[in-house]
Amino acid sequence: MADTTKDKLRIGKQYDHAAGMSAVVISMRNIFKRMPVGKSFKVLNKLNQKEGVDCPGCAWPDPNKRSRLGEYCENGVKAIAEEAMTARANPEFFSKYSVAELLAQSDYWLGQQGRLTHPMVIRPGGTHYETISWDEANTLIGDHLKALDDPNKSAFYTSGRTSNEAAFLYQLFVRMYGTNNLPDCSNMCHESSGVALSGTVGIGKGSTTLEDLNKAEVIMIFGQNPATNHPRMLSALEKAKANGAKIISVNPLKESGLVRFKNPQTIKGVIGGGTIISDHFLQVRINEDVALLKAIMIKLFHLAETRPEILDTGFIADKTAGFDDFKADLLKNDLAELVARTAIDEHEIDAVVTLLADNSKIITCWGMGLTQHVNGVDNIQEIVNLLLMKGSIGKPGAGTCPVRGHSNVQGDRTVGIAERPPKALLDIISENFGFEPPKEPGLDVVATIRAMHEEKVKVFIGMGGNFLSAAPDTYFTSEAFHKCDLTVHISTKLNRSHLTHGKTALILPSMGRTDKYMKNGKSQFVTVENSMGVIHTSQGVLQPPSEFVESEPIIVANIAKATLDQDKVDWDFLVDDYANIRDLIEKTIAGFENYNERVAKPTGFELPNGARVGVFNTPNKKANFTVNKLSENNVGAEEFLMMTTRSHDQFNTTIYGMDDRYRGVYNGRMVVFMNPKDMERLNIQKGDLLTLHNNYDDIERSVAGFAAVPYNIPKGCLGTYFPEANPLVPNTLQARLSHTPASKSVKVNIKKEA
Ligand SMILES: Nc1nc2c(c(=O)[nH]1)N[C@H]1C(S)=C(S)[C@@H](COP(=O)(O)OP(=O)(O)OC[C@H]3O[C@@H](n4cnc5c(=O)[nH]c(N)nc54)[C@H](O)[C@@H]3O)O[C@H]1N2
Ligand SMILES: Nc1nc2c(c(=O)[nH]1)N[C@H]1C(S)=C(S)[C@@H](COP(=O)(O)OP(=O)(O)OC[C@H]3O[C@@H](n4cnc5c(=O)[nH]c(N)nc54)[C@H](O)[C@@H]3O)O[C@H]1N2
Ligand SMILES: [Mo]
């Protein structure tokens, strides 16, 4: 699957900063390797500009004032190069390689074969994908779906690049067909945030805007690696610091970008020392954030005995519920034990407590380091407790900031991609479209894998994404796919999910963000929602890779027409002009009044957000304190707790390159980051090859060929890359309530290879 040759791997030093000129040079080298210079600049000049192309990378928002030097980052350029590359995975390519041969290639190699150009099919017993016409492909899907005796025997996955327009049509089609089986990449991502925030503050999204960051006194960043995954956030943090904010990072790894940022767009960043990002760095042990937050809050309560004003007693009394139970439970904990669990020096915690006591405009940001644990929901609820104690939500310069992953993952959810849809959504769908949508909850990602494995789901359709490689328990998931009668992937690029297919399988080539889509002589745009709830347009500028590549809304409309008998929706009318789809979204989803008119404004519009203005739309209309348990990792004496993270050269399962430059790893991805003391204890040298294995549910899981990298990581903790380590993540290891795979705290044993 991956490149495992030890000889090629080079282990260097971790960077003491992120970006700088090297980021500019590397990004340009990356794009010019894949596409001509003229075409590169055509798209880069429009990237994240008003009325331009929304970057298909992360969901970090664009500032109102865009940089003239370019409103994009190194990894945005890589995302563009990967999508708009000149190479083509065309029918000749598929006739050259059998599926078995393709499976033997690395993810990086698969990506480098280029954009998909034609609909392709593989039928039972086939060895190669072959071309199929769109009409035949749609009929094949329609026939399979119509033949199922229960619509719940199908599942319809969405990955978060899909536009609002495509996602809305998709969920409408799926519900008309008769199921809520709408697993979504957010099930593996920020689901824990959605669940925790909905219950505590009444909205499953963050409450802050970019402007809030400029007004904040303290910004806490938990479990996130912005230099790699949201690089433009570093410019926002630099600005916040210039406005006086102090930054606290909480992370087992001292990620370079959280240490220092050299902004390549400023003189200070290019020739100077750049900006120190974190004023305090709490290097917490994996999955001990609850212990750390409890220790911090106990210390705040102790200080409040003599300085009651450090807690916002007015806010607590007026706006919240559950404070007394929360406080009583918190104070039962043994402070020394909590501190010991974190592995952080108590003086460092005290310095952070002082900062939190002295300020009240606090923003907490977080990423996958908090959500992907068994107690992922608890992590976030504990953060909310801290904010509520301080009255730090619902006012400028304060609040929650879950930093979303995919560029439109938040929008997809907003417009109805939900396996557990709220009743209000189903009611309005029924009213607007004249059919009864299914009421019973559908399957999320992990439930879908199990249902396919048990042959309860026979047809799988994926709107983007790479379900196999993104999901936990890779071998179990591939068995599940093989048991399906039909697997369909609507994709821009070839990936491993296409190669572990059902008895019959289709690859349907889709347009991406950069592709220009003309209809009736008019260039169509789509709309997306960023991490801070702003809806804006995205319009492609490049010629699509082939005349057979279709836009996502059209693909959905055609599948719907081939599947549904009744005629309640005029699919052709809707896709004739995407404004027609937006009119329907406006009628169906709250907050989209005058959608077409408002989204035409260059900066788009903001969706309503109660928590942002101190209105908590929970059942009791209060912000709720919660009582959360400490993590229960139960790591045995010889075991380690492993996180799986992204390298600097990948977008989820898409591998841009083989380096992780900021962490000093070059030319290889099969590495395991280890504390040097642990290595010494086990007599492991730098570069030694290790097999990682574990036993959950009496099943032995094992992956060989990880080279040991001595690294600044707490003892007992390991770091590996996703997706290479996913076979070690059992599908049963999931966050309580949100069901998110706990891919950041997997117990493993180490075996030295001979
Ligand atoms: N270039 C690029 N951009 C991306 C992506 C990409 O793959 N490449 N992916 C996109 C997507 S879908 C998402 S969701 C985001 C992901 O963005 P991130 O949330 O930054 O994702 P990860 O790389 O998984 O890193 C999580 C961080 O959590 C830390 N961590 C691990 N365990 C713990 C813990 O127990 N406690 C704490 N406090 N920290 C912990 C790790 O050290 C790491 O710094 O980025 C999006 N943007
Ligand atoms: N162990 C471990 N597992 C993880 C994670 C982790 O941190 N650790 N992170 C999880 C997270 S946060 C997420 S979000 C998931 C990601 O899961 P996914 O969203 O399923 O995975 P991606 O790698 O983003 O999907 C890449 C594929 O999407 C297709 N694609 C790209 N752009 C477009 C487009 O515009 N349209 C269409 N139709 N297709 C497109 C391409 O074919 C490409 O191969 O993975 C999760 N899995
Ligand atoms: Mo994500």
Side-chain angles (χ1 to χ4, degrees):
M1 219 207 225
D3 205 327
T4 56
T5 35
K6 177 183 160 188
D7 308 339
K8 290 206 308 194
L9 176 76
R10 187 163 72 77
I11 302 165
K13 262 180 71 176
Q14 190 190 355
Y15 272 43
D16 64 358
H17 69 271
M21 272 320 275
S22 66
V24 179
V25 173
I26 286 171
S27 56
M28 290 306 144
R29 202 186 289 157
N30 196 289
I31 195 165
F32 298 152
K33 200 165 98 186
R34 291 173 173 79
M35 52 202 265
V37 175
K39 190 173 164 190
S40 304
F41 280 109
K42 186 167 178 187
V43 54
L44 291 181
N45 285 337
K46 284 284 181 187
L47 193 54
N48 291 329
Q49 296 297 336
K50 292 170 186 169
E51 293 161 3
V53 184
D54 180 56
C55 180
C58 75
W60 188 255
D62 308 315
N64 278 342
K65 193 165 168 281
R66 311 285 154 95
S67 166
R68 294 212 337 264
L69 288 172
E71 190 58 51
Y72 51 82
C73 67
E74 174 190 336
N75 280 347
V77 176
K78 291 182 197 157
I80 293 295
E82 192 71 22
E83 179 175 300
M85 59 173 27
T86 315
R88 298 286 177 258
N90 53 20
E92 291 77 65
F93 167 83
F94 283 104
S95 61
K96 186 167 165 198
Y97 296 102
S98 69
V99 166
E101 285 166 335
L102 293 173
L103 257 182
Q105 299 289 349
S106 70
D107 290 327
Y108 174 70
W109 187 92
L110 293 179
Q112 293 320 298
Q113 305 316 305
R115 282 288 292 277
L116 297 161
T117 59
H118 287 67
M120 306 298 299
V121 67
I122 188 160
R123 299 185 198 269
T127 54
H128 290 66
Y129 270 100
E130 295 165 356
T131 50
I132 181 173
S133 73
W134 275 104
D135 280 349
E136 278 178 277
N138 293 327
T139 307
L140 190 97
I141 298 171
D143 288 350
H144 268 89
L145 289 175
K146 283 189 276 191
L148 293 178
D149 56 13
D150 177 356
N152 291 320
K153 290 188 178 166
S154 58
F156 299 82
Y157 176 65
T158 314
S159 164
R161 272 192 192 171
T162 299
S163 63
N164 286 354
E165 288 77 2
F168 180 80
L169 286 193
Y170 190 52
Q171 63 80 37
L172 182 62
F173 154 59
V174 170
R175 296 202 162 101
M176 290 187 106
Y177 172 62
T179 180
N180 281 315
N181 288 348
L182 284 160
D184 179 31
C185 70
S186 57
N187 296 144
M188 299 181 267
C189 183
H190 265 295
E191 193 74 56
S192 303
S193 310
V195 169
L197 293 173
S198 304
T200 53
V201 296
I203 181 166
K205 306 178 182 184
S207 72
T208 49
T209 63
L210 273 185
E211 215 17 60
D212 287 319
L213 287 174
N214 296 331
K215 295 183 182 142
E217 294 160 343
V218 178
I219 300 171
M220 300 185 82
I221 305 172
F222 288 84
Q224 207 207 323
N225 181 17
T228 288
N229 299 319
H230 313 88
R232 289 181 307 130
M233 179 177 176
L234 293 180
S235 317
L237 293 175
E238 185 178 46
K239 199 163 162 206
K241 290 215 76 170
N243 288 333
K246 295 278 185 217
I247 295 183
I248 301 163
S249 284
V250 182
N251 199 310
L253 304 182
K254 271 203 162 173
E255 305 283 23
S256 311
L258 292 171
V259 175
R260 188 190 287 268
F261 173 47
K262 293 192 181 181
N263 188 340
Q265 299 207 342
T266 63
I267 305 228
K268 187 176 151 201
V270 175
I271 53 172
T275 303
I276 294 200
I277 294 289
S278 299
D279 299 278
H280 299 274
F281 209 112
L282 302 182
Q283 217 177 338
V284 68
R285 199 176 270 155
I286 292 180
N287 202 17
E288 293 299 355
D289 298 82
V290 169
L292 173 63
L293 283 155
K294 283 191 192 294
I296 289 174
M297 291 189 291
I298 291 175
K299 283 173 180 279
L300 282 172
F301 274 117
H302 289 170
L303 285 182
E305 284 166 16
T306 49
R307 292 170 60 197
E309 74 284 357
I310 68 169
L311 304 184
D312 192 337
T313 45
F315 176 87
I316 294 169
D318 294 347
K319 296 274 193 176
T320 73
F323 178 72
D324 293 339
D325 288 346
F326 152 72
K327 182 177 174 185
D329 179 81
L330 179 73
L331 295 180
K332 276 191 229 150
N333 287 282
D334 180 319
L335 183 57
E337 237 169 66
L338 294 176
V339 173
R341 284 179 74 134
T342 66
I344 302 166
D345 186 310
E346 191 161 1
H347 297 297
E348 294 180 34
I349 299 180
D350 288 338
V352 166
V353 169
T354 306
L355 203 56
L356 294 170
D358 294 346
N359 294 285
S360 69
K361 287 188 192 159
I362 301 163
I363 291 180
T364 49
C365 305
W366 68 90
M368 296 300 101
L370 288 198
T371 62
Q372 296 174 334
H373 298 284
V374 172
N375 55 316
V377 175
D378 310 60
N379 276 337
I380 293 141
Q381 291 187 160
E382 212 66 278
I383 281 190
V384 171
N385 284 337
L386 173 64
L387 292 177
L388 295 181
M389 280 171 72
K390 295 290 301 173
S392 276
I393 184 161
K395 66 181 185 189
T400 55
C401 182
V403 182
R404 296 280 161 176
H406 264 298
S407 52
N408 196 39
V409 61
Q410 190 156 309
D412 291 346
R413 265 289 150 85
T414 302
V415 302
I417 301 291
E419 78 285 0
R420 286 179 278 183
K423 184 174 175 299
L425 174 69
L426 298 180
D427 287 348
I428 188 120
I429 288 179
S430 151
E431 196 181 310
N432 286 350
F433 299 98
F435 75 100
E436 271 316 303
K439 295 201 171 46
E440 67 275 28
L443 303 171
D444 59 24
V445 163
V446 174
T448 298
I449 300 171
R450 291 192 200 130
M452 292 192 296
H453 209 273
E454 291 165 16
E455 304 201 38
K456 290 182 181 155
V457 159
K458 300 298 289 178
V459 177
F460 174 95
I461 300 188
M463 172 56 89
N466 182 359
F467 190 91
L468 170 83
S469 302
D473 235 347
T474 315
Y475 299 116
F476 182 81
T477 304
S478 78
E479 285 168 11
F481 263 151
H482 286 311
K483 291 183 181 187
C484 286
D485 287 336
L486 177 69
T487 52
V488 180
H489 287 95
I490 299 162
S491 311
T492 50
K493 300 282 297 282
L494 178 63
N495 66 46
R496 207 160 288 280
S497 295
H498 306 137
L499 307 174
T500 47
H501 51 80
K503 296 183 181 83
T504 303
L506 287 164
I507 306 175
L508 303 180
S510 159
M511 288 187 196
R513 289 280 164 78
T514 53
D515 297 314
K516 184 171 186 158
Y517 176 55
M518 300 290 293
K519 188 78 202 266
N520 303 331
K522 192 172 144 194
S523 168
Q524 297 280 335
F525 62 82
V526 291
T527 57
V528 292
E529 176 179 345
N530 68 30
S531 192
M532 291 176 172
V534 174
I535 306 278
H536 62 92
T537 62
S538 177
Q539 184 152 17
V541 291
L542 301 177
Q543 183 72 21
S546 106
E547 61 182 298
F548 298 102
V549 169
E550 278 292 6
S551 80
E552 290 177 350
I554 297 220
I555 296 173
V556 176
N558 287 336
I559 296 175
K561 281 175 14 190
T563 308
L564 304 174
D565 296 327
Q566 32 101 354
D567 237 351
K568 297 215 171 350
V569 170
D570 184 345
W571 300 97
D572 289 327
F573 167 75
L574 288 177
V575 292
D576 197 43
D577 187 336
Y578 292 172
N580 300 336
I581 309 176
R582 287 187 287 275
D583 283 341
L584 274 194
I585 297 179
E586 172 176 338
K587 271 177 71 184
T588 314
I589 311 288
F592 284 84
E593 294 76 19
N594 302 322
Y595 193 176
N596 276 305
E597 191 185 311
R598 285 197 295 159
V599 87
K601 282 201 218 128
T603 50
F605 66 94
E606 222 175 271
L607 286 176
N609 187 312
R612 186 169 291 166
V613 290
V615 175
F616 301 109
N617 292 315
T618 53
N620 60 0
K621 299 291 168 206
K622 300 275 185 193
N624 290 302
F625 281 95
T626 49
V627 170
N628 300 297
K629 285 195 300 194
L630 287 162
S631 58
E632 289 168 2
N633 299 313
N634 301 323
V635 184
E638 292 307 310
E639 284 177 325
F640 287 80
L641 208 53
M642 175 186 78
M643 58 158 108
T644 57
T645 59
R646 290 148 174 83
S647 82
H648 192 60
D649 270 1
Q650 73 184 87
F651 190 94
N652 298 338
T653 68
T654 299
I655 310 303
Y656 299 142
M658 301 306 284
D659 298 344
D660 192 5
R661 151 174 122 255
Y662 293 150
R663 297 196 187 112
V665 172
Y666 302 87
N667 235 332
R669 295 180 47 85
M670 286 298 286
V671 294
V672 53
F673 297 99
M674 276 187 89
N675 183 295
K677 293 237 165 63
D678 285 332
M679 289 176 64
E680 202 181 299
R681 182 170 59 83
L682 299 176
N683 194 20
I684 294 170
Q685 312 294 318
K686 171 169 152 179
D688 280 356
L689 289 186
L690 309 176
T691 295
L692 301 182
H693 60 107
N694 58 18
N695 187 314
Y696 282 92
D697 318 315
D698 275 337
I699 297 172
E700 273 296 320
R701 293 177 176 82
S702 141
V703 179
F706 290 99
V709 174
Y711 205 75
N712 179 3
I713 182 171
K715 275 194 277 184
C717 298
L718 300 179
T720 52
Y721 297 132
F722 136 64
E724 285 80 356
N726 285 32
L728 292 163
V729 186
N731 70 81
T732 48
L733 192 70
Q734 288 175 278
R736 284 189 293 273
L737 299 174
S738 69
H739 309 158
T740 301
S743 45
K744 294 278 190 282
S745 46
V746 183
K747 283 190 288 185
V748 291
N749 286 287
I750 295 179
K751 196 164 74 205
K752 245 172 92 166
E753 292 173 18

